[in-house]
Each structure stands twice: as C-alpha cells, then as structure tokens.
Amino acid sequence: ATLWAKTEMTKPASKQPEMRTAKQWKEDRKMTYSMYADTYAYILYKTQDYKTGMEYAKDAATIRKMKDAEYNDRYALLLEKTAPPAQVKKELEQLAKEGVAGKEAKEVLKRTYIKTKGSEAGYDEYITALNRYGIEKLKAELAKKMINEPAPKFRLVNLQGNDVDLNELKGKVVILDFWATWCGPCKASFPAMQKAQDKYKNDPNVAFLFIDTWEGGDDKTKREKTVAEFIQKNKYSFNVLYDVPDKEDPNAFVVVNEYKVNGIPTKFVLDHEGRIRFKSVGFGGNEDGLVQELSLMIEMAGAPSTSGTGSGKKAFK
C-alpha cells in the first residue's frame, strides 16, 4: 500500500476527481502516501528495521510540514535509533519549541537529554524554557486569528434533560464543541477536552458545552440514547447538549447551521461579552497541544475587551 501510494504521487493511475482541482488532487495523493508511510514506519520500528523505517517516517512527517505531533512522534522514535544524540536533541528541541512534539517525542527528548548530560539534573528548567518559547509563539499566532463576532443564542436540552440557555452564561468564557458519535476526530479529541475541562473545573468564569449535532437516525430517542451511552461508557463529565433537527430538513440541525459549521469537530471560544473570539476546526492528534491552545484561547478571550461593546452582561441581553 505504501509503495502504491508513493507511485500515485508522481504517476497516478487513477483519474483526477471532478470535484478536486489539480492542486488539491496532488495534495490529496501526498497526504495519502504520508498516512501509509507513517503506519509502515511504525511497523518497521516495531520490527527493529530502524534505517528503512526512518526513511518512511521522515517522508510522512515532512509532507505534514513537521506540524503534526502524531507523525512527529514516529519520526522521533526512529530518529533516536538512527541519529547521534546531538542531532536528536537539536531536532526535537525545535519541535518542542514549535509546540508540535507529541508524548513520544517528549519522552525521546528527555532520554536524549539524560544521555548527553549524564543525569536528569536541570531537565525541568530546560523543558520549561522550551515550552515557554512555544507558548509565546502560539500566543502570537492565536492573536492573529482572533475574531470578534456575535455568538448566535440558543436554548438546548442537555443529557440530564435540563434546559441550557447560552444567555444564562453571561459573564463567562464559554467553550462550544460541536461533535457527533460517528466522528472519529471528535472522539479522538475528547481525552484532551476532558483534561482541559478538568483544568478549569473550579473556575466559575469558564464553562464548557459539548453540542451533539448531525447525529444519524430519524428517531430522537434512539439518537439521544446513542449519545448518552457513549458518554457514560467513556466516563466523560461533559455537559452535553442535543442540537435540534431542522423542521424542514431532518438531516440539518439548527444551532450548528447558525454557527456556520462546515465540519466537525469545530470549537468556538466565546468571551464574557457573548462574542466569538476563536474558531478551531479539526483535531491534529496532539492532546497536550490542544489543552495548551485552548488554555491560551480562554486566557485571551477572558482579557478585558477593547471592542467597545460594553460589559459582558449587557452583551448577552
């Protein structure tokens, strides 16, 4: 499969899809190869063929521009086996600074630090400095992405059968997460979302709402049961709300449409004035990265407003 995908990048046997431009189709083929190459690299790592595995891991991570923490993890594991410690340390330091080092990459970096320094002494200060650099860079990038739009109001029923009115959360920073039980990336992001929610569980000024939408099936009771069983099985402590199907189109849902969501998971961070300050689509696989990014968004959304819209309470009325 990997060899087939690699050939498809340069000499595709299939025809270009009608709905894709030549540029998009080329990018699709590259991403397909990177997916197979990453998986194959991990198999080679497990079978201890480190040299060959490194070739594929490097291809996969490079195609993703070294921005995907999950792919970087495989790259780091194989880099550790094929490169001198000085090179490993240098490359993984950069990934850590950029905030794209996954769990495995961080563990490799720690092992390499101990190997080069002879002990663990000073590691905490070292990693804190790297993280600080990454946090400041991410904060600067997020500042460029800040928006300032009114958040559509809604009143939905939650998992416990209680009404939840966005209007009643005035004065709080609110995180909305649109998701569905069939959505793989949504479910993959939930452990990180649980960590983020736990981080703010004692903060009365922050609220998380998980809006289940686009859930399959015409039977309302069956849909709600599917969602409830999923949350219970995974022991998530989320405040889950059920989006409402459109009366004219049962396959469309009201709130997700009002927020102009095109794909899930999509998250919104609302400031205390009831305005959307951040919109984030998808999940890149980096749990710690998502928690860090959300934490910064919450911090920035909770800062004093310069929008001139007045106090948080007035904006929600």
Side-chain angles (χ1 to χ4, degrees):
T2 305
L3 294 175
W4 164 81
K6 189 171 186 178
T7 301
E8 282 290 299
M9 283 200 304
T10 54
K11 299 178 181 179
S14 56
K15 293 183 179 180
Q16 178 180 330
E18 293 182 3
M19 300 301 291
R20 307 294 285 172
T21 65
K23 184 177 180 180
Q24 289 172 331
W25 186 40
K26 182 178 180 180
E27 191 66 17
D28 290 344
R29 301 197 310 273
K30 287 171 60 180
M31 291 299 171
T32 297
Y33 169 62
S34 72
M35 177 184 68
Y36 282 120
D38 175 64
T39 303
Y40 187 40
Y42 192 52
I43 293 170
L44 291 169
Y45 172 78
K46 287 293 188 178
T47 55
Q48 299 182 17
D49 186 353
Y50 304 128
K51 184 178 179 181
T52 308
M54 182 58 185
E55 295 174 8
Y56 288 105
K58 187 173 183 178
D59 278 354
T62 301
I63 286 173
R64 304 272 169 165
K65 300 179 181 179
M66 305 301 290
K67 298 296 184 184
D68 191 311
E70 188 175 356
Y71 283 62
N72 290 345
D73 272 349
R74 250 79 71 196
Y75 177 77
L77 287 170
L78 284 152
L79 185 68
E80 181 183 28
K81 297 293 186 180
T82 58
Q87 181 184 342
V88 177
K89 184 171 177 287
K90 181 180 179 181
E91 290 197 36
L92 298 192
E93 279 180 345
Q94 190 58 37
L95 294 183
K97 283 183 176 182
E98 298 289 335
V100 290
K103 182 180 179 181
E104 296 283 4
K106 290 176 181 177
E107 290 178 357
V108 171
L109 180 57
K110 184 174 184 178
R111 290 196 295 269
T112 306
Y113 176 91
I114 294 171
K115 185 181 294 184
T116 56
K117 295 289 184 179
S119 74
E120 195 176 330
Y123 178 76
D124 289 342
E125 293 80 2
Y126 163 76
I127 199 67
T128 297
L130 291 178
N131 290 338
R132 187 182 302 117
Y133 177 94
I135 289 170
E136 290 304 317
K137 182 175 181 180
L138 177 57
K139 193 170 184 179
E141 291 174 352
L142 289 175
K144 297 176 183 178
K145 297 177 181 179
M146 285 191 83
I147 54 181
N148 193 349
E149 302 172 358
K153 299 176 180 63
F154 58 78
R155 186 182 184 91
L156 297 172
V157 176
N158 71 3
L159 206 64
Q160 291 72 36
N162 301 318
D163 285 344
V164 176
D165 192 336
L166 184 62
N167 221 30
E168 295 176 357
L169 296 176
K170 56 187 177 183
K172 299 178 183 287
V173 172
V174 180
I175 298 86
L176 307 179
D177 190 347
F178 287 89
W179 70 286
T181 59
W182 52 261
C183 170
C186 299
K187 294 186 288 186
S189 72
F190 274 4
M193 292 303 294
Q194 184 68 65
K195 289 180 182 178
Q197 180 176 274
D198 289 346
K199 181 177 179 178
Y200 291 94
K201 65 181 179 181
N202 296 320
D203 190 334
N205 299 311
V206 178
F208 286 75
L209 300 178
F210 294 78
I211 303 177
D212 174 73
T213 191
W214 293 339
E215 199 67 53
D218 298 326
D219 188 321
K220 177 176 178 292
T221 302
K222 187 176 180 180
R223 284 202 312 268
E224 293 182 357
K225 182 181 178 183
T226 298
V227 174
E229 288 178 348
F230 170 79
I231 294 297
Q232 183 178 15
K233 178 182 177 181
N234 291 280
K235 299 180 181 179
Y236 292 128
S237 59
F238 300 153
N239 190 2
V240 176
L241 316 183
Y242 297 111
D243 200 354
V244 182
D246 191 299
K247 292 181 179 179
E248 297 181 0
D249 182 1
N251 293 316
F253 286 75
V254 176
V255 179
V256 75
N257 185 56
E258 290 180 347
Y259 275 80
K260 300 177 182 178
V261 173
N262 294 317
I264 53 177
T266 291
K267 299 169 182 59
F268 294 89
V269 178
L270 282 52
D271 67 15
H272 50 80
E273 296 179 347
R275 300 185 70 81
I276 299 172
R277 303 316 304 271
F278 293 102
K279 177 181 179 180
S280 176
V281 182
F283 174 57
N286 185 350
E287 288 188 17
D288 291 341
L290 177 56
V291 175
Q292 183 62 72
E293 183 176 74
L294 266 180
S295 298
L296 287 175
M297 288 179 176
I298 291 169
E299 174 191 323
M300 295 167 75
S305 175
T306 57
S307 64
T309 56
S311 70
K313 293 183 179 181
K314 290 182 180 179
F316 268 86
K317 290 181 179 179

